[in-house]
Amino acid sequence: MEFNTQLLYAHDQILLALMIFVIMLGMGASLTIDDFKAVARSPRGVFIGFLSQFGLMPLIAFSIATIFNFHPAFAISLILIGCLPGGTTSNMFTYFARGSVALSISMTIASTLLALIMMPILLGFYTSGFTAQINAEMQASGTGTFVIPTGNIVSSLVLVLIPVLLGMIIRRKWPDWAKTAEDTAGFVGIIVILYLVFTAFTRHGSLFMKTPVEVYIGALGLGLIGFFFGYWFSRAVGMYPLFQRAISLETGIQNGPVAFAVILLSFHEPVQSQMLWLAILYSTFIVITSSVITLVFRSRGQFDWDVYKNVTIHNRLFGKDYVTSYPQGFLTKRLINDPSQGTSPAQKRDVKE
């Protein structure tokens, strides 16, 4: 699938850059130093999230691209998305899904910082074959050579982190403004997706029909498979339901605005528009699938969430050493030995069925 014209023009890219700045500023405005301290206090959950984020997702993206024989530009874009860190969108969905927001935020922080190291390594490992194909095509046509611009990608990530740091400064000095920035970021995120889809539709309406079915499958399937594996992987290693939902959502929801920034700042035509188009499709589908998954998690997780809130309130009212009693057979197998789901040491008990 070839693009005869650029997907976004210069003024579109400037507007998109401003939107990305606002989104990442809002992400920073939602963070505090205490959030970073929480990462150190809960290393197991963050480590499981790290394995899901940078172990499972790039492999899933590579597998989809290989199985469906993606055009190299689409394959690189999908793998790039698979290597991305999480974003504040996953924190919001985790909240509504009755998951551990603290773990979700910790994973977002850790993955955003680790992406500076992990993205270049993973992209170099998984995209080498696709890069060679594009390079051979460009050399054959006499249009130059192609390599993964590792230095530009790292620079893009660093640039994206600058508004995050500014947001944290705003949070520390002007909390009221920080709340406004945080709330605005979520709204702007939706506007970005709608804007990109609208411009693509009005200027390149035939693009939707020309896009191969497998590209739609990849854009939709990456997030869904990420949710599935993130959930069952965290369940298999013994994480509590509260954390399973957080890890699942954090795994499947990648930071779309960072993908746009990296593609626009690091890649050029003839591959840039193709890569950007797949990123737009992924960002559109992930909002829909995340909403559905969140509703499912919220419904299925109500019991363990109510128990968690119950023991949390008990410990606040009666002291951190208070142990809540429940009738025999009331708690499920995964909660029977710790109804607080790891959040209150006093609530742990050794119950043999």
Side-chain angles (χ1 to χ4, degrees), residues 105-304:
I105 293 174
S106 297
M107 287 177 60
T108 297
I109 294 170
S111 64
T112 300
L113 295 176
L114 288 169
L116 290 169
I117 301 172
M118 297 306 300
M119 276 191 69
I121 295 173
L122 292 168
L123 280 172
F125 179 76
Y126 283 112
T127 65
S128 58
F130 301 110
T131 301
Q133 290 181 50
I134 295 178
N135 186 53
E137 291 175 2
M138 291 180 67
Q139 286 184 335
S141 62
T143 55
T145 59
F146 177 81
V147 294
I148 295 293
T150 303
N152 289 349
I153 290 173
V154 173
S155 299
S156 302
L157 292 172
V158 172
L159 286 174
V160 166
L161 287 177
I162 291 175
V164 175
L165 293 175
L166 290 175
M168 292 183 66
I169 293 173
I170 293 173
R171 172 66 178 264
R172 184 175 179 83
K173 294 189 174 183
W174 305 286
D176 292 339
W177 282 103
K179 180 61 178 173
T180 301
E182 183 181 353
D183 293 341
T184 303
F187 174 75
V188 171
I190 301 298
I191 295 299
V192 167
I193 296 171
L194 293 176
Y195 173 77
L196 292 173
V197 172
F198 176 75
T199 53
F201 181 79
T202 53
R203 295 174 188 163
H204 314 283
S206 61
L207 200 56
F208 290 91
M209 297 300 295
K210 291 180 180 178
T211 300
V213 174
E214 58 267 22
V215 172
Y216 285 111
I217 293 174
L220 176 64
L222 180 61
L224 286 175
I225 297 173
F227 293 140
F228 178 83
F229 277 101
Y231 178 82
W232 286 103
F233 176 59
S234 58
R235 183 182 176 94
V237 297
M239 299 297 290
Y240 289 108
L242 196 69
F243 304 116
Q244 292 170 17
R245 295 190 287 274
I247 291 173
S248 174
L249 289 166
E250 191 72 22
T251 301
I253 302 174
Q254 305 293 76
N255 198 326
V258 173
F260 300 143
V262 169
I263 292 170
L264 289 173
L265 293 173
S266 304
F267 295 89
H268 305 283
E269 299 300 346
V271 300
Q272 186 188 77
S273 291
Q274 290 168 286
M275 293 181 66
L276 192 60
W277 179 234
L278 193 144
I280 292 171
L281 292 176
Y282 166 82
S283 298
T284 303
F285 287 133
I286 201 64
V287 173
I288 300 170
T289 55
S290 297
S291 300
V292 174
I293 293 294
T294 294
L295 290 174
V296 173
F297 280 164
R298 183 174 179 83
S299 175
R300 298 190 54 156
Q302 182 168 355
F303 177 78
D304 67 77

Side-chain angles (χ1 to χ4, degrees), residues 95 98-103 240-243 245 301-316 324 326 330-331 335 338-344 347:
Y95 171 78
R98 307 185 200 271
S100 173
V101 177
L103 176 59
Y240 289 108
L242 196 69
F243 304 116
R245 295 190 287 274
Q302 182 168 355
F303 177 78
D304 67 77
W305 176 259
D306 289 342
V307 171
Y308 157 72
K309 296 298 292 184
N310 183 49
V311 297
T312 300
I313 292 171
H314 282 178
N315 285 131
R316 287 178 181 173
T324 305
Y326 290 99
F330 178 78
L331 295 175
L335 301 181
D338 188 358
S340 76
Q341 300 187 60
T343 59
S344 175
Q347 295 290 349

Side-chain angles (χ1 to χ4, degrees), residues 18-87:
L18 291 173
M19 290 179 175
I20 292 171
F21 180 87
V22 172
I23 292 170
M24 300 312 291
L25 184 74
M27 176 179 173
S30 69
L31 303 175
T32 66
I33 297 299
D34 290 336
D35 294 324
F36 287 88
K37 292 179 180 178
V39 175
R41 287 197 301 267
S42 57
R44 183 168 181 262
V46 174
F47 179 68
I48 298 302
F50 168 80
L51 293 178
S52 298
Q53 192 88 47
F54 294 113
L56 291 176
M57 286 300 281
L59 178 60
I60 292 170
F62 173 77
S63 299
I64 292 174
T66 302
I67 292 172
F68 289 99
N69 194 28
F70 270 31
H71 181 282
F74 285 134
I76 293 173
S77 181
L78 191 68
I79 293 169
L80 185 148
I81 294 170
C83 297
L84 287 172

